[in-house]
Amino acid sequence: MKNMLVAQSGGPSAAINATIAGVIDAGIQSDQVEHVYGALHGIKGVLNENFVNLDVICNTREKRDLLAVTPAAALGSCRWKLKDPKENAEEFEEIIRILRKNNIGYFIYTGGNDSMDTVYKLSAYCEEHGIDDIKIMGAPKTIDNDLGETDHCPGFGSAAKFIATAFTEIGCDCFVYDVPSVTIVEVMGRNAGWLTASAALARSGGRRVPQLIYLCEKVFDEEGFIKDVEKALEKENNIIIAVSEGVKDASGRYVGEETKSGKEDAFGHQYLSGIGKYLEGLVAEKIGCKVRSVELNILQRCAGYMLSETDIIESRNLGAFAAVSAVRGESGKMSALKRISNTPYQVEIGLADLSRIANYEKKVPLEWINEEGNDIEEALLDYLEPLIKGEVKIPYENGIPKHFVIESI
């Protein structure tokens, strides 16, 4: 028998712990797995040999169910980039040494693009060096929904549900006044506009909010933006706008780039924020009406009180499938979703090749964005709607949601 190890990296989400719960479910049920360990803070936890015994900590279904509806990252996370093994083989050798020392034959890593890069490099290293006693699998996670080879990503559905709800409630606030106003809501999305597009799910109950949507897949033109706002104000007093934090101008520069920090993470990604505030100033200058900006920021990642039941069920199943596949001998792949139909909504789980996923960003297809670049097409709504369906029963304690906490952290 071998031990199983699971870790997570990248940004937290409302569903990543459901994936971890699925891995634990599968590990406990397998007669090929002795223990299920968790590495604290991702691949750094592996290198530091910082493990916890999850089949002891989560030894009941009740505990794993609570873990599954707990937002963020119960095992902690990291943004640690493994270098090319040809440049830094020592790091890979150390990981293999530690896994073998702890009799770990199955390693499941959950995360987004950069995390799948880690899984791909590690599994490719094992294949190249004839290491077949350790199976390495990826399980998807990213609210950005930009992983290739899967219809959608765990965490995105719950984040989309929160965003749609936020826009609905922002609309309730804005429409109480009879003076012209513009509210600009900045939504996460560096290079893919899936989250911003989900704001359109708020268009129910008779109100069309947001009236304007700008995704980062289309070139953003400031002059065109002002004309769009002026035209919208001719029809309604209160305008709500959704804009991706990563919109760029025709030269490829982030709009309002001079207002950003310019700092980058370990993977070379710029830290973005400020587009809402920048456009607020532009509207104030060019139009002069009442204007304000709202930055949802990290709230959209881990709203555990706004979980999509579809998201949590799929996330848990994807974790379990990655674990089961590793035990069956698969390695260097990621569990993934294939959509069978929208109505009724049906998906199936399979395996995807990591060489087609690592460091690839799946963007919103241009045919799902209107020609003017200020709204989305119906086909995108059809894609989004099933992903936010269903509500999860959240346990409460002293009036606030109860969370699963690993004390060792």
Side-chain angles (χ1 to χ4, degrees):
M1 295 178 70
K2 294 277 189 177
N3 296 321
M4 181 174 286
L5 177 68
V6 62
Q8 51 199 29
S9 71
S13 79
I16 193 170
N17 287 331
T19 303
I20 300 301
V23 172
I24 302 170
D25 289 339
I28 287 176
Q29 292 166 16
S30 173
D31 59 6
Q32 301 299 308
V33 176
E34 185 172 6
H35 295 294
V36 182
Y37 296 134
L40 302 183
H41 303 293
I43 201 70
K44 286 175 63 178
V46 178
L47 287 163
N48 294 328
E49 212 168 337
N50 193 4
F51 301 155
V52 292
N53 192 328
L54 292 174
D55 53 59
V56 172
I57 295 171
C58 302
N59 60 347
T60 67
R61 181 75 185 191
E62 182 181 24
K63 290 178 181 177
R64 297 194 296 278
D65 287 347
L66 178 59
L67 173 64
V69 297
T70 296
L75 291 172
S77 187
C78 72
R79 293 192 185 275
W80 184 276
K81 185 178 180 67
L82 290 179
K83 297 179 181 177
D84 187 320
K86 294 177 182 177
E87 300 174 4
N88 187 19
E90 293 82 4
E91 199 170 37
F92 290 81
E93 292 168 359
E94 179 66 1
I95 290 171
I96 299 303
R97 184 193 70 78
I98 289 169
L99 295 180
R100 282 176 168 163
K101 173 187 173 184
N102 290 278
N103 193 34
I104 293 166
Y106 317 106
F107 178 35
I108 317 298
Y109 207 45
T110 73
N113 303 84
D114 298 329
S115 304
M116 293 308 107
D117 173 70
T118 296
V119 180
Y120 177 59
K121 285 178 177 174
L122 195 53
S123 59
Y125 177 85
C126 288
E127 183 177 4
E128 184 179 341
H129 290 80
I131 299 170
D132 59 5
D133 57 325
I134 300 171
K135 306 303 179 184
I136 300 164
M137 293 291 294
K141 176 284 312 175
T142 174
I143 65 167
D144 292 323
N145 197 41
D146 60 354
L147 278 174
E149 303 298 306
T150 184
D151 180 77
H152 54 278
C153 302
F156 171 68
S158 294
K161 191 181 187 83
F162 170 81
I163 289 167
T165 303
F167 273 86
T168 300
E169 294 176 345
I170 288 170
C172 291
D173 183 285
C174 293
F175 282 94
V176 302
Y177 302 107
D178 62 356
V179 296
S181 70
V182 174
T183 301
I184 301 162
V185 185
E186 178 182 328
V187 184
M188 281 182 173
R190 176 183 286 106
N191 296 315
W194 298 102
L195 282 171
T196 308
S198 67
L201 293 165
R203 292 171 178 171
S204 61
R207 282 197 176 129
R208 183 180 171 82
V209 295
Q211 290 94 331
L212 297 169
I213 300 176
Y214 298 91
L215 309 187
C216 42
E217 282 80 358
K218 283 267 193 174
V219 170
F220 186 90
D221 176 68
E222 293 185 13
E223 185 177 332
F225 168 73
I226 292 299
K227 288 180 179 178
D228 289 343
V229 176
E230 289 175 333
K231 187 175 179 179
L233 283 169
E234 291 174 3
K235 298 177 182 178
E236 300 179 67
N237 263 345
N238 309 107
I239 304 304
I240 301 172
I241 301 167
V243 59
S244 294
E245 64 179 353
V247 290
K248 302 179 183 69
D249 61 22
S251 70
R253 296 177 72 250
Y254 290 112
V255 176
E257 191 169 290
E258 62 274 11
T259 67
K260 306 182 191 306
S261 68
K263 294 180 180 179
E264 298 179 347
D265 65 16
F267 289 83
H269 305 315
Q270 285 190 38
Y271 292 111
L272 300 181
S273 68
I275 181 63
K277 185 61 69 176
Y278 176 80
L279 294 180
E280 176 188 338
L282 192 66
V283 170
E285 177 190 348
K286 301 294 184 181
I287 299 177
C289 65
K290 176 183 176 182
V291 58
R292 60 184 167 185
S293 60
V294 178
E295 185 181 347
L296 298 180
N297 209 300
I298 61 172
L299 292 174
Q300 60 208 297
R301 292 202 299 209
C302 295
Y305 51 90
M306 201 75 66
L307 298 176
S308 156
E309 182 182 39
T310 298
D311 189 25
I312 298 305
I313 291 172
E314 290 178 346
S315 300
R316 193 162 183 169
N317 288 341
L318 282 162
F321 193 80
V324 168
S325 297
V327 173
R328 290 173 178 169
E330 296 285 357
S331 189
K333 296 177 182 176
M334 182 188 82
S335 54
L337 292 165
K338 179 181 178 182
R339 189 176 304 211
I340 306 303
S341 68
N342 282 333
T343 310
Y345 173 66
Q346 289 182 308
V347 293
E348 63 181 24
I349 298 179
L351 295 177
D353 189 342
L354 278 165
S355 66
R356 300 167 61 91
I357 299 169
N359 293 312
Y360 167 78
E361 289 178 312
K362 181 182 71 178
K363 300 184 180 183
V364 176
L366 292 180
E367 61 266 26
W368 284 1
I369 307 172
N370 72 345
E371 189 175 343
E372 296 78 11
N374 60 15
D375 207 343
I376 69 168
E377 299 289 355
E378 195 67 27
L380 182 46
L381 266 180
D382 293 339
Y383 167 86
L384 292 168
E385 282 178 343
L387 308 185
I388 67 168
K389 293 294 178 68
E391 284 65 55
V392 176
K393 186 176 181 181
I394 306 297
Y396 279 75
E397 189 172 74
N398 298 323
I400 60 173
K402 182 179 180 182
H403 293 160
F404 185 94
V405 178
I406 295 178
E407 298 296 342
S408 299
I409 290 184

